[in-house]
Amino acid sequence: MKPNSIIAFATVLTLLGQPAVAQTIILARHGEKVDASADPLLSEAGQARAQALAAAVVQARLTHVFSTPLQRTRGTAAPAAQAADLEIQTLSLDGGGAAHIARTASILRALGPDDTALVVGHSNTIPEIARALGLTDTAAMSDCEYDRLIVVRLKADGAAQAVTGRYGAPTQPC
């Protein structure tokens, strides 16, 4: 396992080992794209990142895998979904960014207290979803950042706590 995969794996285990009824939400951006078209596939680096994500979350006992309908997010989520024997649940982009973020946060908050969900999104939505879940200090994500993993615990009282880690090959600054 690569050092960044180990960090992400340790992050997941740290939060999963905490007591209390809470949902665990793992937020990740899609892997690297082959081009800048509207709905590109993953590049070789993106496919490797998808495999690294699956390896990083394999011990998390996922109960849900969510992705937007775009090829790059579905391709990134697929290895983790397959490893957990789950179908990818599609998060609608209808209504634009704010509507998508609010709807996604609502779906995640409605999960059961023992659920663990992986959400694969985009650089402009993953930090916003974290904020909508209560993590107001979540940093923005640059367009060339692919290796950040945010693990969120949503407690029954509505409180949220998170640990941020890295997985897969380090991404280069823009």
Side-chain angles (χ1 to χ4, degrees):
M1 198 178 283
K2 294 182 181 175
N4 283 337
S5 294
I6 293 169
I7 292 168
F9 177 68
T11 299
V12 171
L13 289 182
T14 297
L15 284 177
L16 288 176
Q18 295 181 1
V21 175
Q23 300 144 349
T24 301
I25 312 298
I26 303 166
L27 302 170
R29 181 188 181 194
H30 62 75
E32 293 86 338
K33 314 172 277 192
V34 294
D35 59 41
S37 63
D39 191 14
L41 294 169
L42 293 174
S43 66
E44 284 186 33
Q47 292 172 24
R49 184 161 313 281
Q51 293 297 327
L53 178 60
V57 302
V58 71
Q59 296 297 319
R61 296 180 300 261
L62 297 175
T63 57
H64 301 276
V65 176
F66 295 98
S67 162
T68 66
L70 301 176
Q71 294 182 99
R72 60 191 175 270
T73 54
R74 293 188 66 77
T76 303
Q82 288 173 331
D85 197 27
L86 297 169
E87 295 291 324
I88 298 170
Q89 298 173 61
T90 302
L91 297 167
S92 172
L93 293 172
D94 292 344
H100 162 72
I101 290 159
R103 193 171 37 251
T104 299
S106 178
I107 288 167
L108 297 173
R109 287 196 176 280
L111 296 176
D114 296 323
D115 283 337
T116 300
L118 170 64
V119 179
V120 179
H122 305 272
S123 62
N124 63 336
T125 61
I126 289 298
E128 293 299 323
I129 292 167
R131 287 183 197 108
L133 293 173
L135 304 171
T136 57
D137 61 346
T138 302
M141 189 176 284
S142 72
D143 192 47
C144 55
E145 182 181 358
Y146 294 96
D147 62 347
R148 188 185 333 169
L149 189 72
I150 304 169
V151 183
V152 182
R153 288 285 279 192
L154 297 176
K155 295 183 181 178
D157 65 3
Q161 67 182 105
V163 175
T164 300
R166 303 285 175 177
Y167 75 98
T171 54
Q172 302 302 314
C174 296

